[in-house]
Amino acid sequence: MTTTEGLGQVRTLSDSEQELPASKRPRIEPIAEEDVLWKDIVLVLGQEVVDEAVEAGNDAESPFAIHDEVEVEVKMLGSNGEGIAVPVDSTRPWVVVVPLTLPGERVLTRIYRHARLHSVGDLLEVLTPNASLRDMSLVQCKYFGSCGGCQYQMLSYENQLAFKRDVVVKAFRNYCTILSEQMPTIQPTAPSPLQYGYRTKLTPHFEGPSKKIQKGPRPPTTEQPDWLTIGFNKIGTRKVMDIEECPIASPVINGQIGPTRKEIIEKSHTYTKGVSLLLRDSLDTSVDTEVDRLSDTFNEHVCVTLPKATCRERVGDFIFEYNAGSFFQNNNSVLPPLTNYVRDAIFPPSATEPLTLTHLVDTYCGAGLFAIVLSPYFQKVAGIELSQDSIKWATRNAEINHIPSDKISFRSGDAAEIFAVVKEFPKDETAVLIDPPRKGTDEVFIDQLLAFGPKTVVYVSCNVHTQARDVAMIMEKGSKEGVTKYRLDSVQGFDLFPQTAHVESVAVLRRAD
């Protein structure tokens, strides 16, 4: 077997591993960004060319030296938002990955790293721009091109959404090959109501001073020391660059950046290590939750900077509180359309026959976002989480929103028996929602899901590649005799992070009775 096999592939379990109890079987290996990039490299060079390079043993021998300046032509945008290019003049097939470039452009790049069948370079100059795509007048950030946070500010929003749909399509083609003959229509990416000023969480950081500086005199100062930069990493590096404003962050966060920077500078003589900061947009939690929720008082925004403080957020008619340092979606403006889409996926308005779904299981429920927002449409709702802290917040949120405990509950589900806590739910009347972290689910979870056999499964994902892998496993296992079978009804991307290459995705599976 050549060394290209296994890259980007899902490892299947051996017969002996299949015999192990579910709780002891190996987890699915995560899909690394390198695997996703490798798929793009193969797509550009062609599988035959890749195989020949591997066979010849020169797949790790770059035709360029570090710091070489090379003219390249961009063939496509990679799934991580970088241009996948080929050298204009090269002795053999090779790819160069260049950020901030677009298909059809010729650019000059300086090589700084090599890997298998590709190098990575900095963008020095766009020699021939793609006039139909690149529009630098759209850029709203003075740090764009240096800061690694955004990739797409030079694109119209329509083109951003189109590229993100391509990422979803490629993910399912690459990691859900069982669908090769029956790929569902990938819907256009759902837009974010806000394209700037949407981000409700920002985590700038800074590195500590060198040991040499620490040993020298460090008097208090109001001037920023030379060693101190507060912000985000430069593109392709771990070097922090100063950021004094961020146009994709909410106004209340941008209003806090200046005071936070000032405080750090004044305390700079006390730091010996780097620090990651937290800026989080929140409703004022000192206001009672029983106050009129349409009032200006209730809807006053503040910036929370302490990880253990409480944040409050409004999603439609619902209120959520959570620990500031914990996970909650970072684009509030898109949450109503996202949760409405999930609701309509479970109860399609166009359904020819009424669906008798009365129970909902929200796995990886976190602070209870989906469980609570969807609760009006079900008789019984159960949120399942491993984190006791998340269960505490979710239970609190149900109380804030006056949802009775005999209708909704949040339960701790052991990873090996996660559905055992809802075994009384009738599978023919139950929908299951999956919203895991980036690494996706694992085979233990999927086996339990198939044994439980709910009528409908909605998989919400912040990593479409692991989502496609998991959907493939659900369908492949369901093709075996005696295992619940599912069909993939639809897939749609959601743009939770405009101006970046990131896309989230919702896949809807229905039991094939």
Side-chain angles (χ1 to χ4, degrees):
M1 182 175 73
T2 67
T3 53
T4 59
E5 294 178 39
L7 274 169
Q9 301 296 316
V10 177
R11 185 176 79 88
T12 56
L13 298 182
S14 66
D15 291 341
S16 60
E17 289 172 331
Q18 292 280 9
E19 295 297 323
L20 292 171
S23 61
K24 296 187 179 297
R25 291 181 200 163
R27 288 347 190 217
I28 302 172
E29 292 296 323
I31 296 175
E33 286 188 6
E34 290 80 6
D35 289 322
V36 176
L37 174 60
W38 181 259
K39 297 284 189 182
D40 289 333
I41 291 170
V42 173
L43 188 59
V44 166
L45 294 181
Q47 187 66 60
E48 184 176 346
V49 170
V50 170
D51 291 342
E52 288 175 357
V54 171
E55 185 69 25
N58 60 9
D59 54 311
E61 299 173 5
S62 173
F64 310 110
I66 298 297
H67 303 311
D68 273 0
E69 295 185 4
V70 182
E71 183 178 341
V72 298
E73 181 178 351
V74 182
K75 295 299 184 181
M76 59 177 280
L77 267 188
S79 296
N80 297 321
E82 300 166 316
I84 309 297
V86 296
V88 173
D89 297 307
S90 179
T91 55
R92 54 190 171 80
W94 197 259
V95 158
V96 182
V97 179
V98 191
L100 305 172
T101 59
L102 299 171
E105 295 186 330
R106 284 202 175 194
V107 305
L108 187 64
T109 180
R110 181 184 292 118
I111 304 297
Y112 69 82
R113 188 172 74 238
H114 300 312
R116 294 189 64 226
L117 279 175
H118 72 283
S119 300
V120 184
D122 290 316
L123 174 61
L124 298 180
E125 182 183 357
V126 178
L127 303 172
T128 308
N130 184 327
S132 64
L133 289 176
R134 182 179 291 274
D135 184 352
M136 298 306 292
S137 70
L138 297 173
V139 174
Q140 295 189 25
C141 180
K142 63 183 178 181
Y143 305 109
F144 182 71
S146 299
C147 173
C150 293
Q151 297 81 41
Y152 287 170
Q153 287 193 28
M154 72 295 207
L155 288 171
S156 70
Y157 194 50
E158 179 183 10
N159 284 325
Q160 291 185 39
L161 296 177
F163 278 122
K164 293 185 182 192
R165 179 184 179 275
D166 290 344
V167 171
V168 178
V169 170
K170 284 196 298 180
F172 274 83
R173 284 179 179 166
N174 289 336
Y175 295 100
C176 196
T177 54
I178 191 173
L179 292 171
S180 58
E181 300 293 327
Q182 46 181 327
M183 178 73 71
T185 300
I186 307 294
Q187 301 298 323
T189 307
S192 169
L194 294 177
Q195 286 93 60
Y196 281 93
Y198 64 84
R199 193 175 176 101
T200 54
K201 178 185 177 185
L202 217 59
T203 54
H205 60 280
F206 61 90
E207 299 297 330
S210 67
K211 290 185 177 180
K212 180 180 179 181
I213 291 174
Q214 290 182 44
K215 291 178 180 178
R218 300 174 64 196
T221 179
T222 58
E223 299 295 324
Q224 186 169 348
D226 291 339
W227 64 265
L228 180 62
T229 52
I230 310 164
F232 304 106
N233 290 354
K234 293 190 69 173
I235 292 175
T237 76
R238 295 184 179 179
K239 184 177 180 181
V240 182
M241 61 179 292
D242 255 335
I243 300 289
E244 296 180 342
E245 63 177 343
C246 179
I248 67 172
S250 73
V252 73
I253 287 180
N254 272 306
Q256 184 60 42
I257 292 177
T260 297
R261 288 174 57 86
K262 182 175 181 292
E263 181 181 354
I264 292 167
I265 290 168
E266 291 174 349
K267 293 181 178 179
S268 60
H269 63 288
T270 68
Y271 290 109
T272 58
K273 296 180 180 180
V275 175
S276 182
L277 306 168
L278 175 67
L279 303 173
R280 197 141 202 176
D281 193 325
S282 170
L283 295 178
D284 187 351
T285 56
S286 68
V287 178
D288 193 284
T289 56
E290 298 306 314
V291 168
D292 179 5
R293 294 183 179 182
L294 297 179
S295 67
D296 290 342
T297 301
F298 188 84
N299 289 285
E300 182 72 23
H301 285 250
V302 297
C303 188
V304 174
T305 59
L306 299 175
K308 293 185 179 180
T310 298
C311 281
R312 180 184 294 169
E313 204 153 335
R314 181 177 188 147
V315 180
D317 296 329
F318 298 92
I319 300 300
F320 294 88
E321 292 188 350
Y322 53 92
N323 186 291
S326 64
F327 173 79
F328 200 86
Q329 295 287 4
N330 295 336
N331 179 351
N332 182 280
S333 75
V334 82
L335 295 184
L338 173 61
T339 52
N340 287 343
Y341 178 86
V342 171
R343 176 201 63 204
D344 291 343
I346 296 172
F347 302 103
S350 59
T352 55
E353 297 180 9
L355 293 179
T356 57
L357 291 171
T358 56
H359 292 60
L360 173 67
V361 180
D362 181 5
T363 62
Y364 305 93
C365 69
L369 172 64
F370 287 104
I372 288 171
V373 171
L374 297 175
S375 63
Y377 307 98
F378 293 91
Q379 295 175 14
K380 290 276 189 181
V381 178
I384 304 177
E385 253 292 348
L386 295 179
S387 165
Q388 291 291 340
D389 194 53
S390 292
I391 291 172
K392 180 191 74 173
W393 285 108
T395 302
R396 158 77 174 157
N397 290 328
E399 294 170 352
I400 290 174
N401 291 287
H402 308 295
I403 306 172
S405 58
D406 61 352
K407 177 172 185 171
I408 192 169
S409 61
F410 294 93
R411 318 176 187 188
S412 177
D414 180 84
E417 298 180 336
I418 195 166
F419 288 99
V421 297
V422 290
K423 57 187 177 183
E424 77 277 11
F425 278 32
K427 67 176 185 179
D428 291 342
E429 299 166 16
T430 297
V432 168
L433 188 134
I434 310 171
D435 186 11
R438 286 190 61 81
K439 65 181 181 180
T441 64
D442 58 32
E443 189 160 9
V444 173
F445 177 93
I446 289 173
D447 285 343
Q448 293 174 73
L449 174 70
L450 294 173
F452 184 65
K455 191 79 170 178
T456 299
V457 177
V458 179
Y459 190 145
V460 181
S461 177
C462 60
N463 185 338
V464 67
H465 305 96
T466 54
Q467 180 192 53
R469 175 205 66 192
D470 294 346
V471 167
M473 183 166 288
I474 290 170
M475 298 182 70
E476 286 167 358
K477 284 177 171 287
S479 65
K480 298 177 181 178
E481 186 176 351
V483 180
T484 310
K485 185 175 183 178
Y486 287 89
R487 69 176 188 275
L488 181 61
D489 256 18
S490 63
V491 180
Q492 176 157 17
F494 276 79
D495 189 18
L496 269 73
F497 296 94
Q499 317 311 326
T500 79
H502 181 81
V503 61
E504 306 225 352
S505 177
V506 180
V508 182
L509 299 104
R510 304 202 192 276
R511 203 175 66 204
D513 292 325

